[in-house]
Amino acid sequence: MRHPVLSPILSRRHWIFDLDGTLTLPVHDFAFIRASLGVPDGSDILDFLASLSVAEAAPLHARLQEIEESLVEKTEAAPGADELLGRLHAGGARLGVLTRNTRENTLRTLSAIGVGSLFREEWIIGRDEAPPKPAPDGIRQLASRWGAEPVDVLMVGDYLYDLQTGRAAGVGTVHVDPAGLFRWPALADVLVTSLAELAAVLPAAEECPVFTVPVPA
Ligand SMILES: [Mg+2]
């Protein structure tokens, strides 16, 4: 566990999560996806699609959606996801998702792992709602919808882009790395190996009055 115990940062009321590999166990086989779409090795898949003409990109977007849709059924919740999200929701925190996946797949995935009722559709930002991470636009969109200042927002993710996005938007960052390697320590405020660990260090309601006051809808 490498985080300040009861870090004040964890009492923030607006939590934005990455989906794949953060709320869920990773299921994407990126080598397979690249091969299926003809994306050169090492290239960013969404950047590659964005570099094509609309006519060239359309069938590849459809194929990507098809592949990711097929993954929904295989998806499992990451350890501690239900406990962490349940506690945050019960404490009145607002929960969002910022993902390079689509909003549609995210909604299905959240339902499949049993936490769909904790999220509002409009608080899920997928690749069609904002420029993809590491662009900070998605975080800014959510913060603006919530009327939240960056100092009251956290971005939680398992990958470099999540942390870069959080830094670029000026919000707090939590790196969840099950391997415990923490390759980008300068970009993360809190380091945990699982959401279960994060739930365990969440301030208790009595130590953190903010969590006893539900945020108005
Ligand atoms: Mg991820």
Side-chain angles (χ1 to χ4, degrees), residues 18-22 133 157-159 162:
D18 166 54
L19 179 69
D20 302 298
T22 298
K133 294 176 280 189
D158 70 316
Y159 187 56
D162 304 309

Side-chain angles (χ1 to χ4, degrees), residues 147-172:
E149 294 298 324
V151 293
D152 200 16
V153 180
L154 273 182
M155 175 74 213
V156 183
D158 70 316
Y159 187 56
L160 174 65
Y161 288 163
D162 304 309
L163 306 176
Q164 288 175 326
T165 306
R167 279 286 186 264
V171 305

Side-chain angles (χ1 to χ4, degrees), residues 72-165:
V72 170
E73 291 156 28
K74 297 181 191 161
T75 304
E76 289 175 56
D82 52 352
E83 189 197 343
L84 176 70
L85 296 173
R87 281 194 56 194
L88 289 170
H89 187 260
R94 283 169 164 168
L95 305 176
V97 172
L98 178 60
T99 175
R100 289 164 66 97
N101 208 319
T102 60
R103 176 184 271 172
E104 183 188 341
N105 287 337
T106 302
L107 286 165
R108 286 186 194 171
T109 301
L110 294 173
S111 290
I113 64 171
V115 296
S117 65
L118 306 182
F119 291 86
R120 285 197 200 174
E121 181 171 345
E122 63 269 28
W123 295 352
I124 292 165
I125 306 287
R127 60 174 171 257
D128 299 321
E129 282 73 47
K133 294 176 280 189
D137 306 55
I139 292 182
R140 291 189 179 137
Q141 252 188 55
L142 283 171
S144 144
R145 269 175 214 183
W146 288 330
E149 294 298 324
V151 293
D152 200 16
V153 180
L154 273 182
M155 175 74 213
V156 183
D158 70 316
Y159 187 56
L160 174 65
Y161 288 163
D162 304 309
L163 306 176
Q164 288 175 326
T165 306

Side-chain angles (χ1 to χ4, degrees), residues 10 60 72 179:
L10 296 176
L60 299 183
V72 170

